[in-house]
Amino acid sequence: MTKVAAIIGGGVIGGAWAARFLLNGWDVRVFDPDPEAERKIGEVLNNARRALPSLSDHTMPAEGAISFHDTIAEAVAGACYIQESVPERMDIKHQTFTAITAACDKEAIIGSSTSSFTPTELSGEQQDKSRIMVCHPFNPVYLLPLVEVVGGSTAAPEAVETCMEILSSIGMKPLKIEKEILGHIADRLLESVWREGLWLVNDGVCTTEVLDDAIRYGFGLRWAQMGLFETYRIAGGEAGMLHFIGQFGPTMDWPLSHLMDTPELDETLVKKIADQSDAQSGMYSIRELERIRDTNLVSMMRALKAQNWGAGAVLANYDAEKKAALGEPDLSGLVRTVSRTVPLDWLDYNGHMNEARYLQAFGDATDRMMEIVGCDAEYIASGGSYFTAETHIRHIDEVSAGAEITVDTQVVLGAGKKMHLFHFMRASDGRLLATGEHMLIHVSLETRKAAPPALHIEEKLVAIAKAHEALPVPEGMGRFVGQGR
């Protein structure tokens, strides 16, 4: 049976909540008095449909049905989960919760996206407070998993548990916060950084851009995959958190921040932090934690590199400079098209390079050959390119992360619309690891059909193919899957 969620308030947060539920197979019923709500949520949904499925290696469930309603009572009818995301005004919140509780199913969970108010404040005018709780997300809700769940002293424990089960089922990470506190957890941390940032800019220490760069090129990346205390545990070395606090605890009295009201690091607090750190991360050695951290950082920074953004843009520029320094390759023999180290995120469950990464390496080699003959970004922007029509890869030997690999390319055919390439992947000791045979067809990007390449591209390809005729015919060229050796 399809589950039903009601979204009360369809702004930036409410619309993203709608997307999260809808794309996880729930029917979604929306109330928002804004006459543009349906259009705005539709645009959020389009972004969510583009991005959310990319997080998973499995297909998403069949999308639910979304409907828009004129009253709160209509929207909450039949919903087992209700998310309120109206403006942060207590009078509006109270009116909204009164309308919800008057019409919803008696077992429905009612969550609030509020970042400002507590469950006690939200439910103050309601007779039944047991199902009202804070469920504070982070935008974009359809991508970021965190939800701070605060039941406080009013929500029933079983309702809180049901809420967390529902949120987990749609791919979120609900964190149960034991005590009511203004701003919950994450916003209090963000607020502290924000306040200090305002002082730094106000005092002329830095610009907003420099401040943001200090976050996104450094500790922001560490926080993204280990948080605060686990990061500092590593900073303490083999002695862990106790050593870190012993070394840096005294700096709490230094004027390093405008936020000087910190708790005294007495023996009780130090032990509490150290014990909790042991429970959190004690199952790993510091060296293991460092390797986990490094693998995560590599994966994130390579993802940012693909988008030429943040720390990834630094990597992209560095690679571009290294590539430019190589100059024009010798085209009379096999052409060196790839020379790289196998990255950490290319491994599979067997501990060696995933088969898809062989294709990526050969694809990179093909792209490099396209650049060499003049089919570069400028040419592609003008409307011509090569499309891969057929590929055959032979996996010959294993290769692991950290190994240096090269790909050398032979041009078998370059006349007309075809570009026939044969790639050899080798280890640093000369072992042949794999071969890749690619047939590409030149196309017009306007018609998406085969078309002759520009004359200067065909002439260069033909010249390289002519020079490569003196090379031995590649062993394995023209093989088919299953062919006997």
Side-chain angles (χ1 to χ4, degrees):
M1 184 177 73
T2 302
K3 296 180 179 179
V4 178
I7 305 299
I8 309 302
V12 173
I13 299 298
W17 270 114
R20 171 70 80 161
F21 277 102
L22 192 73
L23 270 61
N24 276 280
W26 287 56
D27 286 350
V28 174
R29 302 167 66 85
V30 179
F31 167 78
D32 192 305
D34 182 359
E36 294 289 301
E38 187 168 353
R39 176 188 63 79
K40 292 176 181 177
I41 290 179
E43 292 173 355
V44 173
L45 280 173
N46 287 338
N47 282 344
R49 291 184 182 111
R50 171 184 173 273
L52 180 58
S54 298
L55 290 179
S56 178
D57 293 331
H58 303 278
T59 56
M60 300 290 291
E63 189 173 306
I66 188 168
S67 55
F68 294 83
H69 302 271
D70 295 329
T71 67
I72 289 177
E74 290 178 4
V76 301
C80 65
Y81 185 91
I82 302 163
Q83 185 72 23
E84 169 273 311
S85 303
V86 302
E88 292 283 78
R89 281 177 45 189
M90 187 58 75
D91 59 332
I92 297 177
K93 299 281 191 186
H94 282 162
Q95 293 169 13
T96 300
F97 280 112
T98 297
I100 290 173
T101 56
C104 71
D105 290 353
K106 298 309 176 187
E107 300 300 319
I109 300 299
I110 307 171
S112 173
S113 298
T114 183
S115 59
S116 305
F117 303 124
T118 67
T120 298
E121 293 173 315
L122 294 171
S123 62
E125 296 187 358
Q126 310 309 314
Q127 185 173 1
D128 182 3
K129 310 175 190 295
S130 64
R131 294 166 293 127
I132 297 173
M133 64 201 74
V134 169
C135 294
H136 175 236
F138 286 80
N139 206 43
V141 182
Y142 55 76
L143 288 182
L144 296 185
L146 177 62
V147 189
E148 296 176 308
V149 179
V150 190
S153 59
T154 52
E158 60 270 20
V160 173
E161 292 304 317
T162 298
C163 173
M164 295 185 66
E165 290 172 4
I166 289 173
L167 296 174
S168 295
S169 74
I170 58 172
M172 305 192 85
K173 173 65 175 178
L175 291 182
K176 184 164 68 173
I177 300 175
E178 301 299 336
K179 289 185 177 181
E180 294 186 2
I181 185 171
L182 291 178
H184 321 312
I185 295 177
D187 273 355
R188 291 179 74 93
L189 294 171
L190 287 173
E191 183 73 9
S192 297
V193 175
W194 169 244
R195 288 171 186 260
E196 188 63 31
L198 292 176
W199 277 113
L200 290 168
V201 173
N202 177 77
D203 294 346
V205 176
C206 64
T207 65
T208 58
E209 181 179 4
V210 168
L211 190 144
D212 282 349
D213 285 351
I215 296 171
R216 63 191 185 129
Y217 293 113
F219 65 84
L221 289 167
R222 297 190 309 192
W223 282 5
Q225 45 86 47
M226 278 194 168
L228 181 63
F229 282 94
E230 200 163 61
T231 294
Y232 283 163
R233 180 184 182 88
I234 293 177
E238 293 184 357
M241 184 60 75
L242 282 174
H243 177 69
F244 176 81
I245 294 178
Q247 185 174 5
F248 293 101
T251 66
M252 294 293 98
D253 293 330
W254 296 0
L256 297 180
S257 168
H258 284 272
L259 306 175
M260 293 298 295
D261 183 17
T262 57
E264 181 184 352
L265 284 169
D266 57 19
E267 184 178 345
T268 300
L269 181 55
V270 169
K271 185 177 186 306
K272 181 178 182 180
I273 293 173
D275 289 347
Q276 290 182 0
S277 179
D278 287 343
Q280 177 185 0
S281 311
M283 68 290 296
Y284 302 109
S285 70
I286 292 299
R287 298 290 88 82
E288 288 173 325
L289 280 173
E290 288 173 344
R291 287 192 291 273
I292 292 167
R293 175 201 62 195
D294 293 351
T295 300
N296 291 339
L297 285 172
V298 165
S299 299
M300 289 190 298
M301 293 172 71
R302 286 175 57 77
L304 290 169
K305 177 182 172 185
Q307 300 302 316
N308 197 35
W309 197 263
V314 176
L315 294 176
N317 291 336
Y318 175 71
D319 278 359
E321 291 174 359
K322 288 171 60 177
K323 181 177 174 182
L326 294 174
E328 185 74 10
D330 180 7
L331 303 178
S332 61
L334 292 176
V335 180
R336 178 63 50 85
T337 47
V338 169
S339 180
R340 64 165 308 140
T341 299
V342 176
L344 298 173
D345 60 343
W346 280 23
L347 293 191
D348 64 10
Y349 44 80
N350 291 317
H352 57 223
M353 194 164 82
N354 180 281
E355 60 185 18
R357 301 303 188 174
Y358 287 85
L359 177 58
Q360 180 170 338
F362 288 136
D364 291 344
T366 295
D367 288 346
R368 176 62 179 143
M369 181 56 69
M370 287 170 58
E371 289 179 349
I372 289 170
V373 301
C375 186
D376 54 15
E378 183 178 354
Y379 179 80
I380 292 171
S382 73
S385 187
Y386 282 92
F387 285 6
T388 304
E390 191 169 349
T391 298
H392 183 205
I393 295 176
R394 294 188 303 154
H395 302 273
I396 297 170
D397 206 343
E398 294 184 67
V399 60
S400 300
E404 294 181 4
I405 60 171
T406 58
V407 177
D408 295 314
T409 300
Q410 183 170 341
V411 178
V412 180
L413 177 66
K417 305 171 187 176
K418 296 181 179 180
M419 178 164 59
H420 185 181
L421 306 177
F422 198 92
H423 303 298
F424 302 86
M425 181 188 294
R426 289 187 170 86
S428 57
D429 60 5
R431 285 181 298 120
L432 185 64
L433 301 172
T435 65
E437 187 173 2
H438 290 192
M439 178 65 76
L440 297 97
I441 306 297
H442 189 274
V443 300
S444 163
L445 294 178
E446 181 179 357
T447 64
R448 317 301 282 189
K449 294 181 179 179
L455 182 60
H456 70 281
I457 289 179
E458 182 177 8
E459 286 179 345
K460 191 159 188 178
L461 259 179
V462 168
I464 298 172
K466 185 71 174 175
H468 287 190
E469 286 179 356
L471 298 173
V473 175
E475 190 276 324
M477 190 173 76
R479 286 177 58 89
F480 55 83
V481 173
Q483 180 179 351
R485 293 181 180 271

